[in-house]
Amino acid sequence: ARAAVMINRIDKLDPRDLPALNTHCMRTIWSHFSAYGTEYDFCEFYRLWRQRTQIGYICSFNGSITAQLVYGKRATSDIIRELSEFVNFKRPYFVQLSEGLCPKAGFSGYKRVKRSFFTLPKPSGDEANTDGLILEPDVEYVYKTAFSGEDYGLWLTDTVRRKNKGQLRMFGYESSVLTVRFCIGGAAYISDVYTPQQDRNRGYATKLLKKTSALLSGEGYTSYLCADEQTSGFYLRMGCELSGEDTAFKLKDKGK
């Protein structure tokens, strides 16, 4: 039974082979492929097979793993076991899996993180205006505001690459900033919404989200984002619609 499931690296990937599934995991895989292709060792793509039938795709990108079942396939215990062994071998800092792939016991050395996905409300009336929206905020300011804990060189290289490939956009309003990580299949994924501590509770982030959503809606995209248990209440109060929930995994710090 164990030999029936295999994970093979893809040396060359035809974009026509990647399914256009309406899931966050598949959009993430698409965004990595669109930005980097299969030419880099830090961005690897794999096929998941069961009994000679392809059932999924896996992307290992810069210390994270995303996996998606395709073609209506269901996860079985041997599939989950093989994927768990793959994760434990790679030891990424972050793992996100499509529905049904999460092991009940989790991965060794990882903590579960409950995530909620919210769709931003369609703007109307005064909310539909984009006055004051900063279309190209200073890159260094965005980094210092929202990403100061990350390696600046790696962050900047990836940011510029994705921007040049048309994958990533950044917006600001007053001192608040956010990143549109990708726009794929009519969906725009918003991440890293951040306001400096001294400017919080002034409504900047709310206005930034609404104005960004209005702009993207005019371009034909529905905006959505992901929140943890600490931030979900903010998005509910803002009028966002809960569109789904899942569990991701983060590598535990040593000693915890």
Side-chain angles (χ1 to χ4, degrees), residues 117-135:
F117 289 91
F118 292 95
T119 301
L120 272 66
K122 281 195 172 185
S124 60
D126 291 340
E127 293 181 351
N129 82 72
T130 58
D131 296 345
L133 184 65
I134 303 170
L135 303 182

Side-chain angles (χ1 to χ4, degrees), residues 2 34-35 44 59 95 109 121 141 148 201 220 234 248:
R2 294 176 65 86
S34 298
E44 302 172 339
C59 179
V95 181
Y141 175 76
S148 58
N201 301 314
F234 169 78

